[in-house]
Amino acid sequence: MTQAPPIVELHPWLQTPPGRYLLDWEQAVLDRAVADVFGFHALQLGRPELDALQANRMPHRWLALDIDDDAGAVLAPSFGADDQAPRGVALHCDFDALPFPNQSLDLVVLPHTLELARDPHHALREVERVLVPEGRVVIVGFNPASLWGLRQRWGRMCMRLGFGSLFLPRTGDFLGYWRLRDWLRLLSFEVESARFGCYRPALRSQRWIDRFAWIEPVGERWWPVLGSVYFLSAVKRVRGMRLLGLARTKNAKPRATPAVATNKHKEAN
């Protein structure tokens, strides 16, 4: 009788073949998403396996881990703000109470952060609080409406009956894409870009994962919202803000110039 694979947490699962496949896709998408986001202060909350800010050019970039997260102890040396500074985790904090002033950050990246948060909605409110107006939040999460999500639900049902195993880590819960968009809208975020990825089936073998490489372009074309992971980028909008200075002057209507009246009859004489 074949013994079911043990249940693992997210950190060791990301070192498995499907975990590395997931990280490769997410790293490429995050690099493109943050490369042209400008400002002074950027923060990555959680998941030191990803260097979500490596393509960003802000002078101050930090990695923060949850107080109870010890995954960064081994992976911290691979992350940092720049090539000269010593690399490591900047701080450990409670994601429900970020130690930053209001409107102090230009970019916050959440790689699977909300799925592991004790209160994901409150954590998202904290992100909205610390972001400056027109600041950006980038979110990556597992998609429950996917092959991986279906495999996870099947595994949970089998485990209740006393057999089977989970494909994904049991820590945390999936947060649906459309539900997340509703939360962002309530917090006055405007979603600017989104996409899905990782269309290959729930496989544990690197060999079989490689064999299904052909399904990626097919999935993007024919069932784009069924990828196993989603990416979403949103901008914080502040109601009542008005552009000042050059933009206001540019849009101002030209003022009428007074006309000079002449007496053509006197000029003729």
Side-chain angles (χ1 to χ4, degrees), residues 87-99:
R87 303 189 172 191
V89 178
L91 70 156
H92 286 77
C93 62
D94 187 346
F95 291 171
D96 295 342
L98 297 177

Side-chain angles (χ1 to χ4, degrees), residues 107-221:
L107 169 66
V108 178
V109 183
L110 307 176
H112 300 282
T113 307
L114 298 178
E115 297 164 344
L116 304 177
R118 287 176 289 274
D119 187 340
H121 192 271
H122 189 73
L124 195 58
R125 283 185 176 276
E126 274 294 281
V127 172
E128 188 274 337
R129 178 185 68 81
V130 300
L131 276 176
V132 300
E134 304 300 310
R136 189 178 303 270
V137 60
V138 176
I139 303 172
V140 177
F142 287 113
N143 180 20
S146 64
L147 292 177
W148 289 15
L150 180 63
R151 172 64 178 82
Q152 188 77 347
R153 289 193 295 272
W154 171 257
R156 291 185 185 276
M157 184 179 65
C158 292
M159 290 183 66
R160 294 192 191 100
L161 300 176
F163 66 95
S165 64
L166 298 177
F167 175 72
L168 296 170
R170 64 178 176 181
T171 304
D173 296 316
F174 286 170
L175 182 60
Y177 170 77
W178 295 108
R179 181 185 180 190
L180 179 58
R181 287 187 67 117
D182 289 340
W183 285 6
L184 291 169
R185 189 180 302 110
L186 290 174
L187 293 173
S188 299
F189 282 99
E190 179 182 337
V191 176
E192 283 202 336
S193 62
R195 62 173 299 186
F196 293 78
C198 296
Y199 295 92
R200 305 181 200 188
L203 303 167
R204 289 191 173 92
S205 167
Q206 185 64 53
R207 178 182 177 185
W208 282 100
I209 290 176
D210 294 338
R211 284 189 175 184
F212 275 89
W214 59 269
I215 207 172
E216 295 290 344
V218 176
E220 290 182 0
R221 179 181 177 88

Side-chain angles (χ1 to χ4, degrees), residues 50-72:
L50 279 168
D51 191 347
L53 300 174
Q54 70 176 0
N56 188 262
R57 290 167 283 180
M58 293 189 193
H60 306 288
R61 291 170 285 152
W62 303 300
L63 168 64
L65 297 185
D66 189 78
I67 295 176
D68 300 325
D69 189 355
D70 58 354

